[in-house]
Amino acid sequence: MPQAITDVAEFRADRAWGARDLVEIDGASVRLHWTDQPYRWHVNDGAEAFVVLAGEVDMHFRRDGREECVRPKPSDIFIAEVGDEHVAHPIGEARILVVERSGSV
Protein backbone atom coordinates (compact mmCIF):
# COMPACT_ATOMS: atom_id res chain seq x y z
CA MET A 1 0.00 0.00 0.00
CA PRO A 2 1.46 3.43 -0.91
CA GLN A 3 2.38 5.61 2.02
CA ALA A 4 3.27 9.29 2.47
CA ILE A 5 5.54 10.16 5.41
CA THR A 6 4.40 13.66 6.38
CA ASP A 7 5.66 14.01 9.96
CA VAL A 8 9.42 14.00 9.36
CA ALA A 9 9.87 17.50 10.82
CA GLU A 10 8.15 16.43 14.06
CA PHE A 11 9.75 12.99 14.38
CA ARG A 12 11.66 12.57 17.62
CA ALA A 13 12.97 9.28 18.95
CA ASP A 14 13.12 8.39 22.64
CA ARG A 15 16.93 8.30 22.49
CA ALA A 16 19.75 9.65 20.34
CA TRP A 17 20.00 7.77 17.03
CA GLY A 18 16.62 6.18 17.60
CA ALA A 19 15.00 5.32 14.29
CA ARG A 20 11.75 4.63 12.55
CA ASP A 21 12.05 1.77 10.07
CA LEU A 22 10.41 2.93 6.85
CA VAL A 23 10.98 0.16 4.30
CA GLU A 24 13.35 -2.62 3.30
CA ILE A 25 14.34 -2.80 -0.36
CA ASP A 26 16.25 -5.86 -1.60
CA GLY A 27 18.30 -6.24 1.58
CA ALA A 28 18.73 -2.51 2.23
CA SER A 29 16.97 -0.70 5.08
CA VAL A 30 15.63 2.83 4.83
CA ARG A 31 15.37 4.41 8.27
CA LEU A 32 14.51 7.84 9.63
CA HIS A 33 16.84 8.75 12.51
CA TRP A 34 16.57 11.52 15.07
CA THR A 35 19.55 12.56 17.17
CA ASP A 36 21.07 15.33 19.19
CA GLN A 37 24.22 13.38 20.14
CA PRO A 38 27.22 12.05 18.21
CA TYR A 39 27.22 8.45 17.06
CA ARG A 40 30.47 6.45 17.33
CA TRP A 41 33.31 5.79 14.95
CA HIS A 42 32.40 2.78 12.82
CA VAL A 43 32.89 1.01 9.52
CA ASN A 44 29.82 -0.32 7.74
CA ASP A 45 29.85 -3.75 6.09
CA GLY A 46 28.15 -2.19 3.07
CA ALA A 47 27.80 1.21 1.47
CA GLU A 48 25.66 3.80 3.30
CA ALA A 49 23.75 6.83 2.03
CA PHE A 50 23.21 9.46 4.73
CA VAL A 51 20.66 12.14 3.73
CA VAL A 52 20.26 15.12 6.06
CA LEU A 53 16.59 16.09 6.17
CA ALA A 54 16.70 18.67 8.99
CA GLY A 55 19.55 20.20 10.96
CA GLU A 56 23.25 20.00 10.24
CA VAL A 57 25.72 17.22 10.89
CA ASP A 58 29.51 17.27 11.06
CA MET A 59 30.51 14.04 9.33
CA HIS A 60 34.02 13.05 10.34
CA PHE A 61 35.85 10.42 8.31
CA ARG A 62 39.35 9.11 7.93
CA ARG A 63 41.16 9.15 4.62
CA ASP A 64 44.79 8.07 4.22
CA GLY A 65 45.27 8.18 8.00
CA ARG A 66 43.97 11.76 8.31
CA GLU A 67 40.70 12.85 9.88
CA GLU A 68 38.56 15.08 7.68
CA CYS A 69 35.14 16.63 8.20
CA VAL A 70 32.28 17.87 6.02
CA ARG A 71 29.05 19.47 7.19
CA PRO A 72 26.03 18.23 5.24
CA LYS A 73 22.97 20.48 5.53
CA PRO A 74 19.34 19.68 4.66
CA SER A 75 19.10 17.93 1.28
CA ASP A 76 22.83 17.12 1.26
CA ILE A 77 23.98 13.50 1.04
CA PHE A 78 27.06 11.81 2.50
CA ILE A 79 28.08 8.46 1.01
CA ALA A 80 30.27 6.03 2.96
CA GLU A 81 31.63 3.11 0.96
CA VAL A 82 32.59 -0.28 2.39
CA GLY A 83 35.60 0.23 4.66
CA ASP A 84 35.13 3.98 5.19
CA GLU A 85 35.56 4.80 8.88
CA HIS A 86 33.20 7.62 9.87
CA VAL A 87 31.18 9.23 12.67
CA ALA A 88 28.33 11.75 12.65
CA HIS A 89 28.15 14.67 15.09
CA PRO A 90 24.86 16.59 14.83
CA ILE A 91 24.85 20.33 15.44
CA GLY A 92 21.85 20.47 17.78
CA GLU A 93 18.97 18.24 16.64
CA ALA A 94 19.05 16.49 13.29
CA ARG A 95 16.79 14.20 11.29
CA ILE A 96 18.56 11.91 8.89
CA LEU A 97 17.45 9.36 6.33
CA VAL A 98 19.89 6.44 6.24
CA VAL A 99 19.92 3.80 3.52
CA GLU A 100 22.22 0.88 4.25
CA ARG A 101 22.47 -2.89 4.28
CA SER A 102 19.84 -4.31 6.66
CA GLY A 103 21.40 -5.12 10.04
CA SER A 104 24.43 -2.88 9.49
CA VAL A 105 25.70 -0.86 12.45
Side-chain angles (χ1 to χ4, degrees), residues 16-76:
W17 292 101
R20 178 189 299 167
D21 293 324
L22 300 176
V23 68
E24 187 170 319
I25 303 169
D26 293 333
S29 66
V30 180
R31 304 176 84 202
L32 172 60
H33 288 268
W34 171 88
T35 192
D36 62 352
Q37 299 295 315
Y39 196 59
R40 59 179 170 75
W41 281 98
H42 66 286
V43 177
N44 295 77
D45 59 358
E48 173 184 45
F50 187 95
V51 184
V52 177
L53 300 174
E56 297 181 358
V57 179
D58 281 346
M59 184 61 77
H60 300 261
F61 57 96
R62 293 192 175 120
R63 182 181 357 216
D64 299 325
R66 293 186 333 263
E67 185 175 324
E68 299 183 35
C69 182
V70 295
R71 181 175 286 179
K73 296 177 175 66
S75 79
D76 290 344

Side-chain angles (χ1 to χ4, degrees), residues 75-95:
S75 79
D76 290 344
I77 302 169
F78 179 84
I79 304 292
E81 298 289 346
V82 174
D84 289 341
E85 189 175 13
H86 59 286
V87 62
H89 288 251
I91 308 302
E93 288 190 21
R95 288 163 182 86

